[in-house]
Amino acid sequence: MTRTITFLPSGRSSPIEANESVLEACLRAGLTPLYGCSNGNCGECKAILKSGEIEQIRHSDHAFTLSEKANGSFLMCANRALGDIVIEADVTQGPDDVPLQSIDTKVKAIEFLDPQVARLHLQTPRSRRLRFISGQSVTLTMSGGIQRKQAVASCPCDDRNLHFHVPHIPGDAFSEAIFDGDLAVRETIHLEGPFGNSFFLDESDKRPSLFLCWHTGFAPIISLIEHAMSLDVEKDIHLFRFSPTPDHQYLPNLGRAWADAYDNVFANLMSQRITLLSNQSYCEEAISAVAAQFADLSDLNVYVAGPPDFVEATHTVFTRLGMGKDRIKTHTDWLGIV
């Protein structure tokens, strides 16, 4: 049986399943709560029950003060809802609410998605997970001070396991450390962030979403789309991917898998080749072909991620067709260097 959880002070509501903890429901709703161990010990996920009934489902060693017991304090990770509940909790509602964080992460895995793109999998400590909104970026620093700003390519619903798409850039110390094998599993990478407050998914907006990306601009798009799917967003999602090597795009089957699993997801690998040398006029021709596939642009939100000319071309095409600038969200990324 599905119940409803309402968060104060925002008033935002979300379904909560009978057997999931309040914390799990909070994460699935796309919120970024303050929490740590998630097993009832640290007390970071403390909330106040304002109405409704809850039941403890996990042992907790955290000791509440007398005043906390009196005001209905409980741990979100250790309790479930017995019906509709209203709680007061420290959760973020948007990018401007997310605090700047500094975390030492460990390299969990390095996977070469193709000869030019590697997926870097970092894992945070259990007690220092990254609170972030889909579409945001962080600064990563290796030993020796080698640094790179990267978009997160994973869903905020798993805030401990973070993915990044690193392109091979000759002469760039960060990417060469990965592609030359100098970075090993279990090494420490310092993370600072998140950054970015304009490229995010508003799941309350019921208009269909058009996602356009070039090469590793796919990274923040993955974060947005996986977040939408974790929330069971019902609006249509249209993905169009461009590449400097259109016949050999990395992760070519990911969009197809989404489309097979969800009736509202449509994925397209575009055959027109766009490189960093492609000027804005050339990019506009490619983007115009995408726009022509939609009869009514008034019922659409656009998200675009890629290098400056690609992003500016998208903005120009859609504003020329009458779309308001506020409906075009952009992430500018120069071959992976934000």
Side-chain angles (χ1 to χ4, degrees):
M1 178 181 177
T2 301
R3 299 91 189 263
T4 298
I5 177 171
T6 301
F7 301 94
L8 298 179
S10 70
R12 180 169 175 174
S13 295
S14 174
I16 178 171
E17 300 297 331
N19 294 320
E20 70 179 344
S21 70
V22 175
L23 177 61
E24 291 167 337
C26 186
L27 292 169
R28 191 167 49 78
L31 300 172
T32 55
L34 180 64
Y35 75 107
C37 67
S38 73
N39 61 13
N41 294 321
C42 72
E44 292 289 332
C45 66
K46 196 180 302 179
I48 298 175
L49 181 67
K50 306 302 286 188
S51 69
E53 294 184 60
I54 57 174
E55 177 183 62
Q56 187 166 334
I57 56 174
R58 179 177 290 114
H59 173 74
S60 171
D61 291 328
H62 179 76
F64 288 101
T65 65
L66 290 177
S67 62
E68 287 174 333
K69 291 179 181 179
N71 72 6
S73 292
F74 71 100
L75 297 184
M76 291 191 288
C77 71
N79 290 270
R80 70 182 182 100
L82 295 178
D84 293 349
I85 62 172
V86 178
I87 70 170
E88 183 179 311
D90 180 9
V91 295
T92 60
Q93 301 298 309
D96 291 334
D97 300 327
V98 182
L100 186 67
Q101 297 147 76
S102 183
I103 305 171
D104 282 334
T105 69
K106 295 291 186 183
V107 176
K108 180 72 173 177
I110 299 172
E111 178 185 1
F112 294 96
L113 304 177
D114 76 2
Q116 297 301 318
V117 180
R119 177 162 51 200
L120 176 63
H121 178 178
L122 301 182
Q123 192 171 69
T124 73
R126 292 185 182 277
S127 60
R128 293 281 293 135
R129 302 163 191 257
L130 178 68
R131 302 175 72 185
F132 72 102
I133 301 293
S134 57
Q136 291 188 303
S137 301
V138 299
T139 298
L140 303 178
T141 306
M142 297 180 182
S143 61
I146 300 172
Q147 198 172 82
R148 164 72 70 80
K149 196 171 184 180
Q150 286 279 158
V152 183
S154 49
C155 180
C157 53
D158 187 354
D159 48 7
R160 189 174 178 224
N161 292 285
L162 309 172
H163 292 173
F164 304 89
H165 295 177
V166 182
H168 187 198
I169 307 173
D172 174 67
F174 192 96
S175 69
E176 287 192 338
I178 292 174
F179 283 86
D180 291 347
D182 296 332
L183 181 68
V185 171
R186 292 187 293 278
E187 282 195 38
T188 297
I189 291 186
H190 184 73
L191 178 154
E192 187 170 326
F195 305 101
N197 61 2
S198 60
F199 194 72
F200 66 96
L201 183 73
D202 181 2
E203 64 270 17
S204 65
D205 190 330
K206 302 304 179 184
R207 285 185 287 246
S209 296
L210 168 59
F211 294 93
L212 289 147
C213 61
W214 180 85
H215 199 38
T216 50
F218 190 34
I221 297 294
I222 289 176
S223 182
L224 293 174
I225 293 179
E226 289 190 344
H227 183 199
M229 292 189 297
S230 76
L231 298 174
D232 291 326
V233 169
E234 296 181 356
K235 60 186 177 183
D236 285 350
I237 292 172
H238 301 270
L239 170 65
F240 292 83
R241 292 181 60 190
F242 290 89
S243 172
T245 55
D247 294 334
H248 303 285
Q249 293 204 35
Y250 76 93
L251 292 178
N253 296 321
L254 181 55
R256 296 170 191 157
W258 291 338
D260 289 342
Y262 296 88
D263 293 336
N264 63 325
V265 178
F266 309 90
N268 303 271
L269 298 178
M270 305 305 290
S271 60
Q272 186 166 356
R273 182 170 182 257
I274 294 180
T275 73
L276 285 176
L277 299 178
S278 300
N279 60 29
Q280 184 176 328
S281 177
Y282 180 85
C283 293
E284 285 180 20
E285 290 182 17
I287 302 302
S288 294
V290 173
Q293 299 187 35
F294 296 88
D296 185 8
L297 295 179
S298 65
D299 189 32
L300 202 66
N301 289 318
V302 173
Y303 299 82
V304 54
D309 282 344
F310 182 82
V311 170
E312 187 57 34
T314 302
H315 199 273
T316 298
V317 167
F318 283 95
T319 54
R320 185 187 296 151
L321 292 171
M323 181 174 286
K325 294 180 179 180
D326 62 318
R327 301 243 307 283
I328 306 172
K329 294 182 171 61
T330 63
H331 174 96
T332 303
D333 184 342
W334 186 266
L335 196 60
I337 303 177
V338 180

